[in-house]
C-alpha cells in the first residue's frame, strides 16, 4: 500500500494506533499479573478480572502511555523515514517490527535507569515481554494500515480525547494529623558515616554501627567514632540496596563475645541474604562463620530484609525480602524468599519450627508471605515479636509475627505497583493475616524500636518506626494488640531515618541514611 493521507490523517492515524497500543498493553500486563496469582492457586472470577483490568486502565494506563508513547513516536518516525529513503514496500510489516523493537529497547533502558530491577511486572518473564511487544506490533501495523487509506473518519481527529478514559486522576490522600510532641532535644553523637544501617550498644557503653557499603565501625563510650574499621568481615556484596545490614549483640555477649551480622553475599547474577557469627576483638572479628544463607540465589540487588532479633531461647529471627522480581516466591515454602526464618546460633533450624516436618518447606521458615521486612523488635515485656515491611506504592504494614502464619504478599496488599498497576485485586483472602496497621501512601519504613525507657514516660510502650521516604519517625501507640499511628516526629531533621534504637540510657538514637550519615541522640529538653 502507498501512504496517501495528509499530515492530519497521519496524526489521526498515530493517535488511534497509540491509544490501541496503550489499551492493549495495559490489558496484557493485567492478565499476566493475574496469571501469576492464579499459578499460586488464587481464584479470580470474571468480575474481579474485569474490575482489575478497568482499574489498571485508569491507574497504570497513564504510566504505560508515557513509556509506550516515546517508543511508538520514535519507531513511527524512524521507520517512516527508512521506508521513504529506501523505497521499501510491506509498510505494515516494517512498522509492526519497528514498534516492537522500539518498545523492547525502551523496556531495557527503563529497567537500567530505575531502581527496581524490573519496573513493569509483566516483563519479568519472556512470555510477558513477548506479549507486550506483540501489542506494540499491532499498533505499528494499525498505523501503517490507517495511513494507507484515502480517508479517515472525522472522529479520528478527536482520538486524543479517548486518552481521558485511560489517564484518570489519583485519589488524594489526607495528611496524617500530628499530635503534640513531647518536649525533646536532638544532639549529634557522631557524623561521617556512609549510609549507616544498624546500631547496637555494647555492655561497656560503646556501640557498633554498620555502613551499608560493607564496613563495621566502633563508637567509644565517650561517643567518639574510632578511626578505621573493624576488620575481619566476611565478603559483602555491595550494590543498590545490597550491602552490610544489621549487627546484633548476642544476649550472652559478656561471656561469649559473640556478635551476628546480616549482609548480602554473592554476585549480581546470584546473591543471597547471609548471616555470620563472630567473636568481637578489640579491632577485628575473629572466628567468623557463616551460619545462614537464603536460598535460592537471586539476580538483582533489591529487597533483602536483613533485620534480626534474638528470642529468650537464644534462637535468631532473621527477616528476608522477596528479591523484588520474585514476589510470588513469598508464597512458596520451598525457598526462603519473602519469608522470616528462625535458626539457632549454630545455624540449625530448631525442632519446634512450624514447618520442620514438611518435606516441601525449608525447615528454617518461621512465617511467610512477606515483601521486604526491615523492621523487627522482640518485646520481652509482652513477649511479642513485631515486624513491619515495605509495601510498594502504599501498603506498608505492621504485623505481630506468629509461627506458621501467612502474611499474604503478593496475594493481598493495600498498595499498588510503582507503575500504578494493581498487583492483586485482593486486600483480604482466606487464611492470610491482616496487618495491624498499614500506611498508604508508603512512608518506606526502616528500623523500629518499642520504647521501654525511663526518659520519656509518656512514650513508654509505643513503637517508633523510622521512615525513609517520609523523612521522619512515626510514633505508633500499641495497646492490647491494636496499633494506631498518632504522631510524626523529627521532620525538622529533613533526613531519611534508617534505624531507631532505644539506648541503655533511655534515650532514642537515630541513624540517618546519607553519604555523610549521623548518629543522633534524642533526650528530653531541659
Amino acid at each position: 500500500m502507498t501512504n496517501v493521507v495528509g499530515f492530519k490523517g497521519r496524526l489521526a492515524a498515530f493517535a488511534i494506533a497509540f491509544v490501541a497500543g496503550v489499551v492493549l498493553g495495559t490489558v496484557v500486563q493485567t492478565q499476566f499479573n493475574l496469571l501469576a496469582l492464579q499459578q499460586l492457586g488464587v481464584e479470580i472470577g470474571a468480575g474481579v478480572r474485569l474490575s482489575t483490568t478497568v482499574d489498571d486502565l485508569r491507574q497504570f494506563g497513564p504510566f504505560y502511555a508515557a513509556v509506550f508513547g516515546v517508543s511508538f513516536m520514535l519507531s513511527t518516525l524512524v521507520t517512516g523515514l527508512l521506508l521513504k529513503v529506501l523505497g521499501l514496500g510491506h509498510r505494515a510489516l516494517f512498522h509492526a517490527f519497528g514498534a516492537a523493537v522500539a518498545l523492547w529497547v525502551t523496556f531495557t533502558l527503563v529497567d537500567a535507569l530505575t531502581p527496581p530491577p524490573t519496573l513493569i511486572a509483566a516483563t519479568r518473564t519472556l512470555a510477558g515481554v513477548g506479549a507486550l511487544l506483540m501489542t506494540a506490533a499491532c499498533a505499528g501495523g494499525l498505523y501503517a494500515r490507517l495511513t494507507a487509506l484515502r480517508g479517515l473518519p472525522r472522529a479520528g481527529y478527536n482520538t486524543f480525547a479517548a486518552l481521558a478514559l485511560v489517564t484518570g486522576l489519583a485519589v488524594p490522600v489526607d495528611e496524617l494529623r500530628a499530635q503534640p510532641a513531647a518536649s525533646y532535644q536532638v544532639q549529634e553523637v557522631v557524623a561521617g558515616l556512609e549510609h549507616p544501617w544498624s546500631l547496637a550498644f555494647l555492655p561497656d557503653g560503646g556501640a557498633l554501627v554498620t555502613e551499608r557499603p560493607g564496613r563495621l565501625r566502633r563508637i567509644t563510650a565517650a561517643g567518639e567514632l574510632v578511626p578505621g574499621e573493624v576488620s575481619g568481615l566476611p565478603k559483602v556484596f555491595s550494590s543498590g540496596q545490597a550491602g552490610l545490614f544489621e549487627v546484633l549483640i548476642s544476649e550472652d555477649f559478656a561471656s561469649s563475645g559473640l556478635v551476628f551480622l546480616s549482609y548480602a553475599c554473592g554476585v549480581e547474577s546470584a546473591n543471597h541474604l547471609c548471616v555470620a557469627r563472630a567473636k568481637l576483638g578489640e579491632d577485628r572479628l575473629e572466628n567468623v562463620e557463616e551460619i545462614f544463607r537464603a536460598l535460592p540465589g537471586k539476580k538483582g540487588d533489591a529487597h533483602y530484609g536483613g533485620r534480626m532479633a534474638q528470642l529468650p531461647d537464644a534462637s535468631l529471627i532473621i527477616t528476608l525480602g522477596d528479591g523484588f522480581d520474585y514476589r510470588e516466591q513469598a508464597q512458596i515454602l520451598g525457598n526462603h524468599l519473602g519469608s522470616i526464618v528462625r535458626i539457632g546460633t549454630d545455624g540449625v533450624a530448631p525442632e519446634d519450627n512450624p514447618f520442620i516436618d514438611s518435606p516441601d518447606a525449608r525447615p528454617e521458615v518461621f512465617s511467610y508471605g512477606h515483601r521486604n521486612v526491615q523492621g523487627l523488635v522482640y518485646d520481652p515485656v509482652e513477649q511479642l515479636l513485631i515486624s513491619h515491611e515495605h509495601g510498594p506504592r502504599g501498603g506498608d504494614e505492621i504485623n505481630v509475627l506468629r509461627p506458621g502464619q501467612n502474611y499474604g504478599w503478593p496475594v493481598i496488599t493495600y498498595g499498588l505497583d510503582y507503575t500504578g498497576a494493581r498487583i492483586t485485586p485482593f486486600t483480604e483472602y482466606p487464611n492470610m493475616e491482616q496487618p495491624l496497621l498499614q500506611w498508604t501512601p508508603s512512608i518506606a519504613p526502616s528500623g523500629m524500636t518499642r520504647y521501654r525507657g525511663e526518659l520519656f514516660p509518656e512514650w513508654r510502650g509505643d513503637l517508633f518506626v523510622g521512615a525513609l521516604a517520609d523523612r521522619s519517625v512515626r510514633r505508633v501507640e500499641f495497646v492490647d494488640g491494636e496499633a494506631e499511628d498518632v504522631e510524626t516526629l523529627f521532620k525538622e531533621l529533613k533526613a531519611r531515618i534508617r534505624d531507631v534504637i532505644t539506648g541503655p540510657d533511655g534515650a532514642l538514637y537515630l541513624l540517618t541514611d546519607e553519604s555523610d550519615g549521623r548518629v543522633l541522640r534524642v533526650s528530653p529538653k531541659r
Side-chain angles (χ1 to χ4, degrees), residues 62-95:
F63 170 84
Y64 190 68
V67 172
F68 177 71
V70 171
S71 70
F72 192 51
M73 180 178 294
L74 290 175
S75 74
T76 302
L77 292 174
V78 172
T79 303
L81 180 62
L82 289 175
L83 288 172
K84 183 176 181 179
V85 171
L86 299 177
L88 299 175
H90 304 288
R91 293 182 65 254
L93 178 63
F94 279 106
H95 272 287

Side-chain angles (χ1 to χ4, degrees), residues 402-455:
R402 298 181 179 88
Q405 298 304 300
N406 182 351
Y407 290 83
W409 176 259
V411 178
I412 60 174
T413 181
Y414 288 87
L416 298 174
D417 212 340
Y418 297 110
T419 61
R422 288 282 292 274
I423 293 163
T424 173
F426 305 108
T427 56
E428 297 182 13
Y429 203 79
N431 301 316
M432 294 183 181
E433 298 295 306
Q434 280 289 298
L436 295 182
L437 174 69
Q438 62 93 12
W439 284 284
T440 300
S442 172
I443 65 169
S446 53
M448 176 173 64
T449 188
R450 190 168 193 190
Y451 186 75
R452 294 291 187 186
E454 300 296 330
L455 293 185

Side-chain angles (χ1 to χ4, degrees), residues 30-51:
T30 302
Q31 307 318 308
F32 269 86
N33 285 350
L34 294 178
L35 176 62
L37 296 177
Q38 286 181 296
Q39 290 173 339
L40 294 173
V42 177
E43 295 182 4
I44 298 175
V48 170
R49 184 178 298 277
L50 178 60
S51 65

Side-chain angles (χ1 to χ4, degrees), residues 126-139:
L126 288 177
V129 172
L132 284 169
L133 296 188
M134 285 297 297
T135 67
C138 290

Side-chain angles (χ1 to χ4, degrees), residues 44-58:
I44 298 175
V48 170
R49 184 178 298 277
L50 178 60
S51 65
T52 303
T53 302
V54 171
D55 280 348
D56 273 354
L57 285 168
R58 181 174 65 88

